[in-house]
Amino acid sequence: MANVVPLFDSKTPAAQATGKVILVGAGPGDPGLLTRKAFAALTTADILFYDDLVSAEILAEVPPSVRRVYVGKPNGAAKITQEEIISLLADAARTYAHVVRLKGGDPLIFGRGGEEIEGLRLEGISVDVIPGITAAQGAASTTHIPLTHRDHSAQIAYVTAVRRDGALADFRNLAGEGKTLVVYMGLGKAAEISAALKDDGIPGDFPVAIVENATRPGERRFVTTVDQMAALVAAKVVRSPALLLIGKVATAASARVHTEDTAVTHGEFNWVHFAHG
Ligand SMILES: C[S@@+](CC[C@H](N)C(=O)[O-])C[C@H]1O[C@@H](n2cnc3c(N)ncnc32)[C@H](O)[C@@H]1O
């Protein structure tokens, strides 16, 4: 097992164990977007498990008295498996009174929260869930891109770019007039997504917004097109975490574009409008 510290010692208060894990959504990164329940859970935890998607600003809210266990993927090290995480959580729930599993965004949206609930139930551990603001809502709030709009979009699809078996997701019928498509984990597949959308009849000049580090310091925003989005990701070195928001609603944002290629500052409506070549 990679990267695992011993969790229990002779002073561990086993008698207080509740046999419960609280699965907590940390939101997209801004600590102001934690719910009151989430804040209460992470400030009263005995032990807290977290991974890479939890922002430094959120972790700064966790008191030093809370034992923290990182279950992400440190540079170059082997990733701890989902089964190993479930086993660690179950052991902790048998030992500590307040066990928190903190996840970026909402734990039940592309967060493997469902797998952790199932695995913990099999271990006889009960789970409470505290929801978090998902990245799409965070990005919409800072960019003012409306996910629905009476003139542009009456439906939203949240899609992960890649399925569990590594294949590209099925993008048919998800984008187009009257629809908003939000792609999670799509950066590395931007060219394939662009091709899949065009195969589905979406025009090359259809609007796309890309939001990196939504709600965090250093948030970057770009407006581009289905044709240009892969070139933008490469040229601007867009990094994870980032979302692709595809639809006419992105045009509502591009109406605010007033810079050509300047650095983008969190909280201001500066956009980089990208057209390659
Ligand atoms: C494993 S998924 C987790 C999603 C999370 N549970 C949620 O509800 O937002 C990770 C992906 O979420 C998106 N994401 C999460 N936080 C983000 C942020 N602050 N800004 C932009 N995208 C974000 C990115 O697409 C990232 O690759």
Side-chain angles (χ1 to χ4, degrees):
M1 182 185 295
N3 178 41
V4 176
V5 294
L7 296 182
F8 315 110
D9 56 37
S10 55
K11 286 180 257 156
T12 300
Q16 295 173 20
T18 53
K20 184 197 279 186
V21 170
I22 310 178
L23 200 51
V24 178
D30 176 351
L33 297 177
L34 281 168
T35 65
R36 286 169 66 170
K37 275 193 173 182
F39 184 76
L42 62 86
T43 50
T44 57
D46 294 315
I47 187 164
L48 176 141
F49 295 80
Y50 69 99
D51 46 43
D52 301 277
L53 206 56
V54 176
S55 70
E57 292 76 22
I58 297 279
L59 286 175
E61 301 287 324
V62 180
S65 56
V66 178
R67 181 162 195 178
R68 299 171 191 206
V69 183
Y70 171 69
V71 289
K73 184 179 182 181
N75 290 343
K79 190 171 169 62
I80 184 168
T81 66
Q82 194 59 57
E83 292 70 27
E84 287 168 337
I85 292 173
I86 290 167
S87 169
L88 284 173
L89 290 169
D91 285 349
R94 294 185 188 105
T95 308
Y96 293 91
H98 299 288
V99 179
V100 167
R101 169 67 165 124
L102 188 61
K103 284 179 170 287
D106 183 88
L108 302 182
I109 297 180
F110 305 129
R112 301 192 184 179
E115 291 168 49
E116 293 185 9
I117 292 170
E118 286 159 18
L120 286 165
R121 278 197 194 134
L122 288 174
E123 294 267 2
I125 305 296
S126 62
V127 179
D128 282 349
V129 179
I130 298 176
I133 290 177
T134 191
Q137 262 73 49
S141 71
T142 57
T143 61
H144 291 194
I145 292 176
L147 296 177
T148 65
H149 188 297
R150 286 199 295 172
D151 296 330
H152 303 302
S153 174
Q155 53 183 280
I156 311 167
Y158 291 170
V159 176
T160 174
V162 182
R163 297 194 311 223
R164 187 171 193 165
D165 62 5
L168 191 70
D170 183 355
F171 281 92
R172 284 171 298 180
N173 297 320
L174 295 178
E177 291 297 328
K179 301 176 181 177
T180 303
L181 170 60
V182 184
V183 185
Y184 288 66
M185 293 168 279
L187 281 185
K189 294 286 179 189
E192 289 95 322
I193 294 167
S194 173
L197 292 174
K198 289 206 290 180
D199 282 351
D200 196 38
I202 305 301
D205 63 357
F206 202 63
V208 177
I210 301 182
V211 186
E212 177 191 87
N213 274 320
T215 82
R216 304 177 181 201
E219 173 179 305
R220 294 199 297 163
R221 306 145 182 185
F222 304 92
V223 231
T224 185
T225 61
V226 164
D227 262 342
Q228 299 280 331
M229 65 186 188
L232 181 148
V233 168
K236 299 296 176 189
V237 199
V238 182
R239 293 187 203 284
S240 185
L243 290 175
L244 313 176
L245 295 107
I246 300 167
K248 287 276 169 70
V249 289
T251 313
S254 69
R256 289 195 195 85
V257 171
H258 58 266
T259 60
E260 263 306 296
D261 196 2
T262 55
V264 179
T265 311
H266 179 61
E268 294 175 10
F269 286 99
N270 293 335
W271 284 82
V272 175
H273 203 170
F274 183 83
H276 192 65

